[in-house]
Amino acid sequence: MRIGILTGGGDAPGLNAAIRAVARRAFQLGHRVSGVKNGWAGCLEEGLIDELMPADVRGILPLGGTILGTSRTNPAKERDGIARVVKTLKHHGVDALVPIGGDDTLSVAARLHEAGFPTVGVPKTIDNDLAATEFCIGFDTAVGVVTEALDRLHTTASAHHRVMVVEVMGRDTGWVALMGGIAGGADLIIIPEFDLTLPDVVAHLYRRRGEGKLFSIIVVAEGAKIPELERELGGEAEKDAFGHTRLAKRGIGDILASAVERETGFETRVTVLGHLQRGGSPSPVDRIWATRLGVAAVELIVDGKSGVIPIRRNGGVEVVPLTEVITESRRVPKELYDLTYVFV
Ligand code: F6P
């Protein structure tokens, strides 16, 4: 059998670990492997699909990015897009596909399965917002980046008695902000799941000063809502093929920092971590779980399964239908967010 591998959507540290795992297990079981270039874009027209040999996946475990390239191309938006993807894959002799991605990539994967093409996904997104799974490739590394940044910002914030606003990624959910904020000892964490008002933020900062805490670190997710600032935030930026606006263009970190300085008179600086959170070498957790799920995906394919995805649940590998991870975004629960108020 020839097994195809594809990485789609925003890149994330650990994608190469997953590619290596899929390929190595496939070779071990006596199968051939093809790499689809640039996400779903590589499955349209003639296709950008090349044979992967063992040497191609050697030494890639610690590498960030994806050796296959990625894109946010959405074939479901194109005329006969899904049928064309299937045709291209078949034309290149691919019998089954392992797409590695988040809700967008996996929604196309589910359509391929419905169209009768054997497809087994692997969960990836630094946003950590896929339903059902306790692990998404890239999240752990992103949290590590935020944590290290907060450690560094603490020393300079403390030296200058400043407020530091740190904007992090997280489109519809605040997992990176929350976990990075907890690990890095943030004084206030603002996420899309739970709105805060500007007066809430200001009161919080005054209270800390009143307690003799001369600096504060605020972590804000790029998609968070602060009603008083909505008018000032960047307008509707252009949308990608999956209908997402570029949230970094809203500039919530910058706008919040200006508002804080204006309202409190406290000297305030902003740091936007941006794509640093997606770059560089994956953490051990991302490597280990990308490896486990990549191997599991191949075993499912070889077993004749399709329309499913291996996930982490209760600390082990479980298999669920693809539709289960993409039906809704997994949001931060209130009881977890409330933990942050112990450390204000
Ligand atoms: O979906 C993952 C993500 O990292 C979001 O957190 C962020 O809004 C988006 O990708 C940024 O994407 P791009 O690579 O298009 O700037």
Side-chain angles (χ1 to χ4, degrees), residues 155-167:
T155 58
T156 170
S158 156
H160 286 269
H161 315 309
R162 282 174 173 157
V163 177
M164 291 289 187
V165 174
V166 187
E167 180 184 313

Side-chain angles (χ1 to χ4, degrees), residues 160-166 205 209 216 218 253-271:
H160 286 269
H161 315 309
R162 282 174 173 157
V163 177
M164 291 289 187
V165 174
V166 187
L205 294 171
R209 286 273 162 148
S216 293
I218 302 176
D254 213 22
I255 304 286
L256 176 61
S258 303
V260 161
E261 200 161 54
R262 193 173 61 229
E263 298 289 321
T264 62
F266 300 154
E267 203 179 355
T268 305
R269 295 289 187 269
V270 61
T271 302

Side-chain angles (χ1 to χ4, degrees), residues 10-11 72 124-127 169-171 222 240 245-248 275 278:
D11 73 324
R72 295 197 188 273
K124 172 271 340 175
T125 166
I126 70 149
D127 292 349
M169 282 187 173
R171 185 172 274 145
E222 61 183 355
D240 67 21
T245 51
R246 283 178 59 198
L247 287 176
H275 294 81
R278 295 224 308 247

Side-chain angles (χ1 to χ4, degrees), residues 27-338:
F27 295 143
Q28 188 178 46
L29 294 172
H31 301 287
R32 311 193 77 157
V33 176
S34 289
V36 178
K37 300 270 167 61
N38 307 336
W40 296 114
C43 292
L44 292 168
E45 317 312 336
E46 310 86 69
L48 280 169
I49 303 176
D50 288 328
E51 170 118 33
L52 283 183
M53 303 303 285
D56 296 319
V57 295
R58 215 165 276 150
I60 66 171
L61 177 64
L63 297 186
T66 157
I67 59 163
L68 296 176
T70 185
S71 71
R72 295 197 188 273
T73 300
N74 181 3
K77 274 273 162 87
E78 311 230 350
R79 200 155 57 83
D80 300 327
I82 299 296
R84 279 161 56 206
V85 166
V86 171
K87 192 166 162 216
T88 306
L89 288 168
K90 286 188 174 160
H91 174 73
H92 284 264
V94 177
D95 302 299
L97 187 69
V98 179
I100 308 167
D103 53 350
D104 295 334
T105 307
L106 297 177
S107 65
V108 178
R111 297 279 302 274
L112 272 199
H113 162 69
E114 280 163 25
F117 193 85
T119 307
V120 171
V122 173
K124 172 271 340 175
T125 166
I126 70 149
D127 292 349
N128 195 41
D129 59 356
L130 289 172
T133 183
E134 291 160 4
F135 169 83
C136 297
I137 292 173
F139 172 64
D140 187 70
T141 308
V143 169
V145 172
V146 174
T147 306
E148 196 202 330
L150 294 191
D151 288 349
R152 290 176 183 277
L153 289 168
H154 260 98
T155 58
T156 170
S158 156
H160 286 269
H161 315 309
R162 282 174 173 157
V163 177
M164 291 289 187
V165 174
V166 187
E167 180 184 313
V168 305
M169 282 187 173
R171 185 172 274 145
D172 305 311
T173 60
W175 289 103
V176 175
L178 183 75
M179 294 310 189
I182 291 174
D187 304 304
L188 184 64
I189 302 172
I190 311 175
I191 62 176
E193 288 88 337
F194 305 104
D195 294 2
L196 279 189
T197 66
L198 187 58
D200 289 336
V201 177
V202 167
H204 189 85
L205 294 171
Y206 273 129
R207 198 180 44 69
R208 280 180 54 81
R209 286 273 162 148
E211 290 169 359
K213 296 166 180 163
L214 299 183
F215 72 91
S216 293
I217 309 267
I218 302 176
V219 174
V220 60
E222 61 183 355
K225 283 175 202 64
I226 300 173
E228 294 77 9
L229 303 183
E230 282 302 307
R231 234 175 0 96
E232 291 177 63
L233 294 174
E236 278 288 289
E238 87 250 29
K239 294 197 161 114
D240 67 21
F242 287 92
H244 306 300
T245 51
R246 283 178 59 198
L247 287 176
K249 295 254 183 202
R250 288 176 84 219
I252 192 162
D254 213 22
I255 304 286
L256 176 61
S258 303
V260 161
E261 200 161 54
R262 193 173 61 229
E263 298 289 321
T264 62
F266 300 154
E267 203 179 355
T268 305
R269 295 289 187 269
V270 61
T271 302
V272 179
L273 288 180
H275 294 81
L276 284 175
Q277 297 159 94
R278 295 224 308 247
S281 193
S283 68
V285 168
D286 274 323
R287 296 181 196 196
I288 291 163
W289 277 92
T291 300
R292 289 187 72 175
L293 298 183
V295 166
V298 169
E299 290 173 352
L300 287 162
I301 293 264
V302 171
D303 231 21
K305 303 285 192 307
S306 177
V308 293
I309 182 165
I311 61 163
R312 185 174 82 192
R313 191 182 265 164
N314 301 324
V317 177
E318 286 191 18
V319 181
V320 298
L322 269 172
T323 46
E324 206 170 296
V325 296
I326 55 173
T327 37
E328 56 176 5
S329 291
R330 192 163 63 93
R331 296 168 70 76
V332 170
K334 181 83 170 65
E335 55 278 16
L336 192 53
Y337 184 65
D338 284 348

Side-chain angles (χ1 to χ4, degrees), residues 16-30:
N16 285 322
I19 293 167
R20 168 181 175 267
V22 171
R24 291 282 289 270
R25 185 63 175 138
F27 295 143
Q28 188 178 46
L29 294 172

